[in-house]
């Protein structure tokens, strides 16, 4: 449906459209700040930051930018600008 973003464009932690998608060692894409905060908050509580998808330990994850997904999301936001607006996409 017009203006409804594909689920893959949404960060599984924040539920918002990703503007800085990264891939974690669990193989899933997350919004960079959301994943950083998820890991930081778990470690601050003396807990292991687990993947919300498969339970993988994310404490040593190497976040890799997901440029292809970022471009795809930007294109979708541009094409759906009349239905959707999020800061950073106009």
């Amino acid at each position: 449906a017009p203006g409804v973003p594909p689920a893959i464009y949404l960060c599984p932690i924040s539920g918002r459209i990703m503007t800085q998608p990264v891939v974690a060692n669990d193989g899933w894409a997350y919004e960079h700040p959301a994943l950083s905060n998820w890991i930081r908050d778990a470690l601050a509580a003396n807990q292991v930051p687990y993947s919300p998808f498969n339970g993988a330990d994310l404490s040593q994850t190497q976040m890799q930018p997901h440029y292809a997904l970022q471009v795809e999301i930007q294109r979708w936001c541009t094409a759906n600008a009349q239905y959707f607006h999020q800061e950073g996409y106009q």
Side-chain angles (χ1 to χ4, degrees):
V4 178
I8 196 164
Y9 296 176
L10 304 177
C11 174
I13 295 171
S14 70
R16 294 179 49 83
I17 286 188
M18 294 183 279
T19 58
Q20 299 174 50
V22 294
V23 177
N25 64 344
D26 65 353
W28 290 93
Y30 300 89
E31 177 70 357
H32 185 269
L35 182 57
S36 295
N37 291 339
W38 178 274
I39 292 170
R40 184 199 66 227
D41 293 348
L43 293 174
N46 293 318
Q47 298 175 347
V48 175
Y50 289 107
S51 163
F53 285 108
N54 60 18
D57 180 348
L58 298 179
S59 59
Q60 300 298 320
T61 199
Q62 298 293 318
M63 291 180 261
Q64 299 297 320
H66 196 321
Y67 296 119
L69 181 59
Q70 184 176 24
V71 168
E72 191 176 317
I73 291 169
Q74 288 171 339
R75 287 181 181 152
W76 181 88
C77 288
T78 299
N80 288 275
Q82 73 261 30
Y83 303 107
F84 176 81
H85 175 76
Q86 179 172 323
E87 188 173 308
Y89 292 101
Q90 298 177 3

